[in-house]
Amino acid sequence: MKKIAMVTGAEGFIGSHLVRFLQAKGWKVLGTYYSQGSESYPKLPILQFARCDLRNGRRIAHLLAEHKPTHIFHLAAQSLPSLSWEDPVWTFESNIMGSLNLFEAVRQMKRQPVVVSACSSAEYGNVPVSAIPVKEEQPLKPLHPYGISKVCLDLLAREYFLDYGIPTVNIRLFNTTGPGKTSDAPSDFVRQLVRIKKGLQSPVIEVGNLQPRRAFLDVSDTVRGFYLAAMKGKRGESYNLCATRTYRIQEVLQTAIRLAGVKAEIRPVARLMRPSDEKIIFGKKEEFFMFKKLSGDPKRLFLSSKTLSRTKIGIF
């Protein structure tokens, strides 16, 4: 059967990479976007884009009836923890009510698609050192409205699987970076260093908290993880998707400065400090999967320890 994907949030960082990945595999893809000014997306035989505010349930239902996707990759969200403190109402409307509208529209379809939802490691909050790397069974204790909204999505997807049989899979995504990423520490550091090197900024790098440890996954591996979850993930389950080791944010900054070859003052500023911050974000990763050559050399993708035993996937 011809595979048809609907990717919500296709204009976003991960969504834009996922759209290209699926298109390269021959899938017919509908990418939905929210931002104004995105109407210039190309219209191709197997790639289309449509504007959709997920708070508009009728619009979602119309697109599902028109395109009849076999798979939905639900990435659309207000994804910044800092903004969620500033505007928790909009965050909840977008991330919770928007997701509820999507699941309600899917529930009305005669042939229900697989729904892979982008959840988050932010659901775990501060995890005790004894529980690192964190497993999916770890209690969910988010520290900010964004994390709370992702817990709601996680539970919504599970409820619609249990109550209505919708084939859902949740990805609890850990830190991801790569080309096109904005609003994270690595991209912010590099952007400032480029400006300093070009003489557009004084040799001062403004930073927030440099002490947390994060495991940064490359976006090319992230989209493979979403694909794997759609094709092989156990329905109704949630899986961690993470990199293989952590780095202190201070290490990331020092590496960026060294590679840029510039001298700069490091200046902490209050506006970049969060009200609360997870000390370490790192997921369990005992098992791995070796992929065929999707683009370039084969890569290893680390998912949670339960993945191999539950889905029995090797090379595909």
Side-chain angles (χ1 to χ4, degrees), residues 227-243:
Y227 175 79
L228 176 62
M231 303 306 293
K232 302 291 186 179
K234 181 170 179 163
R235 303 328 184 201
E237 288 288 349
S238 296
Y239 296 95
N240 288 341
L241 177 56
C242 59

Side-chain angles (χ1 to χ4, degrees), residues 4-5 18-20 37 51 64 78 82 93 121 139 141 159 171-172 182 186 198 224 246 256 273 275 287:
I4 304 171
L18 181 58
V19 163
R20 290 191 289 269
R51 188 158 190 259
L64 292 180
Q78 190 298 97
S82 55
E93 287 178 348
S121 61
K141 299 180 179 180
E159 182 218 339
I171 292 293
R172 291 178 186 164
T182 59
K198 290 184 174 182
R224 289 175 172 84
T246 65
M273 301 291 180
E287 309 293 350

